[in-house]
Every structure is written in C-alpha cells, then in structure tokens.
Amino acid sequence: VSSTLSALVAPPPSRAAAAFRRDVLTGLSSRAKHIHCKYLYDRPGSLLFDKICELPEYYPTRTERAILTRHAASIARQIGPRAALVEYGSGSSVKSRLLLDAMIDPIAYVPVDISLRHLEASAAGIARAYPAVDVLPVCADFSQGFSLPDFPRPPSHSAVFFPGSTIGNFLPDAARGLLSGIARLVGVGGGLVIGFDLQKDPRVIEAAYNDREGVTAAFNLNLLHRINRELDGRFEVDRFAHRAVYQDAQGRVSISLVSRQRQTVEIGDASIAFEAGESIHTEYSHKYTLPQFEAMAASAGMGVHRVWTDPKQWFAVAHCVV
Ligand code: AVI
C-alpha cells in the first residue's frame, strides 16, 4: 500500500502576522508583560532550539532519546498492533522513527505540526522510509484542537505520541485541557505515549536553562529580534538580559527577558515603556513528580499504564490509556 500525503493546509501568512502583532502588543501593554512561548519558534528560533537540544547542560532531549531507544520494543507492545501513531509537534520526526521501527504492523503515521515546511519534509522522509505506512500529515496548532484525517485503511486504534516534555510548557489547566483533548481525539481504547521532565536537584534544572555558551539566552532574545524583523520593532536587544529561575513551589522554570535599564521601545507606531529590571515573561517549563502527572492524567480521563525512566530518574515516558 503506498503512502498518502494528504493536502496540507496552513493558516494564511497574513493572518498569522496579524495575530503575532496583536498578541505582542497586548502582552506588552499588560501590567505583567508577557509574550506566548509559541512565538519563540520562528525559523531562527527553531534552529537555536535544535542547538539547545545538543548542549551538555540540556539533559531532557538526550535522556528521553535514551529511554525511547532502550525501551522502544516494550513501548511498542503497550501501544499494540495495527495502530495509527499521531505525533504532536512532529518537527523532524526523528523520535517517531524509533517507535515506528518497533511497532507491530503500524497502519498510519499522522505528524501534526504548525510549521508547514517542517511537516512536508519530515512526512516525505517517513513516507519513503516506511512504504507500508499511510503517512497523513496535518498542519495544525495541536493546542487548538483538530480532527484526525480519514484513514485509507482503518487502524485498530490511534495512539498520540507527544515527546519532548512540551507538555511542561503549558500551565497546569492548559496541560490538563490538552490531555483531555487527546483523550477525546483517540477515544476509548486509544492511547498516549508522552515524555515529561521530572523534578530533580534545582541546580541541574537551572543549569539546563542557563547554558554556558549562551544558546538559551540567544533563543530567548531572538524573540526581540523577531519583533524587530516582523513587526517593525526597534528593540536594542543588548539592553535586555535572559533570565531563567527555578520556582520550587510551582515546580517550574520561569523564563523571561529583563530590561537592563529604563527605556522606551517603538513597535510600529506603538511605544512601550520599560522600567529598569522590568521583565517580559516568555516561557514556563514545568517539571512533574510521577504522582502529580498521574493525577493530572486521571483528571483528563486517562490512566497511566506504564512509565519508563532513566537510571537517574530525570525524565519519564508514560503510556496512558483512555
Ligand atoms: C520545548 N520545551 C520542552 C523546552 C523546555 O525545556 O521547556 C523549551 C526550552 N526553552 C528553553 N530551553 C528549552
């Protein structure tokens, strides 16, 4: 059976640009200035994030990869035969190959990504490498909800694959909402394989978000360059500093950009005033304990069936069922 690349439909660029402008101006006019973390991932931001994943201090990527490599066969057994694998934020689809290689007679692979360019390239690569799998890419923001495509051959069930601890970038209510959405999408009998970061020595966590090379700082500051490029902003980027601190009570890293001085910045014809030391919040990265994650999954209508971790228990991959 040949793979099917469905027609890909992305939001028109003009609508995306208008949403970016509106969200930036609204966020920077709020009392506690903030910009949504999804805007960190333009092309330069995504390339910087790829570099973060290879940094010695940034343990999540390599730890999750080791777990997936070591336990692929047992994860695949849990998923079960003749499933459709639906990957949230598929990017370059590297991790899904580990699962597709181990899965028993996978029927379909549905990569879901907001970036059309990423999606086309990775879907074509998977279609070539797995000719017996129907590849059905969906260009969507998975946090907004979407429908599964029509399957040319019906799978026994669908399993969402949501690696990378991206769930940690959502606030608790939104994370629960996302899991509920996954439960609805796959329905009873469906599954979820999810990677999330575990709580650990805060020094290890803080180092991962304050790397010595300054790649994470460049990734965060790229947001200001992006505003300059796309919204006619006039940020003097070196007047802002990257900050990432672990907040113990909430079990999360809080990432922001701090104004080094009192200043006013023009964005198009708007002007935004900053006090010295005032920050723009750009991202949270939540770290869970296993009981916390299980409670959240349960409140979203899912049971955690199995969990795989690394020897240091720094990261977890869980199989949940609806
Ligand atoms: C994408 N996400 C899981 C990363 C994280 O660790 O929360 C984003 C990131 N931000 C700075 N470094 C990595």
Side-chain angles (χ1 to χ4, degrees):
V1 181
S2 70
S3 301
T4 315
L5 293 183
S6 66
L8 293 164
V9 184
S14 59
R15 185 131 40 92
F20 181 39
R21 177 180 304 278
R22 184 199 58 220
D23 290 349
V24 164
L25 293 179
T26 309
L28 295 184
S29 313
S30 307
R31 209 173 49 78
K33 293 182 170 64
H34 61 275
I35 299 174
H36 196 286
C37 62
K38 67 183 172 192
Y39 293 120
L40 293 166
Y41 300 88
D42 64 344
R43 177 87 183 140
S46 299
L47 292 174
L48 285 164
F49 180 65
D50 289 346
K51 269 184 90 174
I52 289 176
C53 293
E54 300 303 322
L55 290 170
E57 297 94 335
Y58 193 73
Y59 60 85
T61 310
R62 84 176 61 88
T63 311
E64 181 182 56
R65 196 189 303 135
I67 296 169
L68 291 172
T69 305
R70 175 142 189 232
H71 299 290
S74 116
I75 298 170
R77 262 198 310 279
Q78 291 291 319
I79 293 174
R82 301 186 57 78
L85 190 69
V86 181
E87 185 174 7
Y88 273 35
S90 47
S92 48
S93 296
V94 178
K95 295 169 189 164
S96 41
R97 286 173 184 252
L98 292 171
L99 288 191
L100 286 169
D101 285 340
M103 279 170 68
I104 306 138
D105 194 14
I107 294 291
Y109 172 62
V110 182
V112 183
D113 203 284
I114 198 162
S115 156
L116 187 63
R117 214 173 333 140
H118 256 125
L119 197 56
E120 280 173 331
S122 60
I126 294 279
R128 268 195 306 276
Y130 300 87
V133 175
D134 295 324
V135 179
L136 309 161
V138 173
C139 188
D141 175 353
F142 60 75
S143 68
Q144 300 299 308
F146 64 96
S147 318
L148 288 176
D150 291 332
F151 292 108
R153 296 176 299 153
S156 57
H157 63 286
S158 295
V160 165
F161 180 39
F162 189 20
S165 68
T166 304
I167 187 79
N169 299 125
F170 291 78
L171 284 165
D173 278 351
R176 197 173 305 113
L178 194 56
L179 294 184
S180 304
I182 292 173
R184 274 195 303 277
L185 187 79
V186 299
V188 175
L192 164 68
V193 175
I194 184 167
F196 57 94
D197 202 8
L198 294 171
Q199 289 188 10
K200 61 185 68 61
D201 184 342
R203 285 170 302 185
V204 174
I205 300 176
E206 281 198 345
Y209 295 84
N210 291 284
D211 64 279
R212 288 162 56 140
E213 255 188 78
V215 182
T216 309
F219 167 72
N220 197 12
L221 289 160
N222 173 60
L223 184 54
L224 304 184
H225 286 297
R226 178 176 184 186
I227 294 171
N228 288 351
R229 282 190 297 268
E230 296 180 22
L231 303 182
D232 187 26
R234 264 146 279 161
F235 277 102
E236 300 224 20
V237 175
D238 52 11
R239 292 187 180 171
F240 287 81
H242 163 74
R243 183 167 65 195
V245 288
Y246 186 66
Q247 299 176 320
D248 226 343
Q250 294 93 346
R252 68 188 183 192
V253 182
S254 175
I255 302 166
S256 51
L257 292 162
V258 184
S259 179
R260 295 182 191 268
Q261 61 191 76
R262 189 166 190 190
Q263 56 182 316
T264 301
V265 178
E266 317 292 325
I267 300 175
D269 45 21
S271 85
I272 311 286
F274 291 88
E275 294 298 333
E278 188 177 357
S279 60
I280 307 170
H281 186 266
T282 52
E283 194 178 42
Y284 285 122
S285 190
H286 292 79
K287 316 299 172 188
Y288 296 96
T289 62
L290 285 180
Q292 279 171 346
F293 183 81
E294 278 165 12
M296 180 166 77
S299 70
M302 273 191 274
V304 176
H305 262 202
R306 255 198 91 170
V307 179
W308 299 267
T309 64
D310 54 292
K312 292 190 200 146
Q313 307 235 318
W314 278 6
F315 199 93
V317 173
H319 178 241
C320 314
V321 290
V322 183

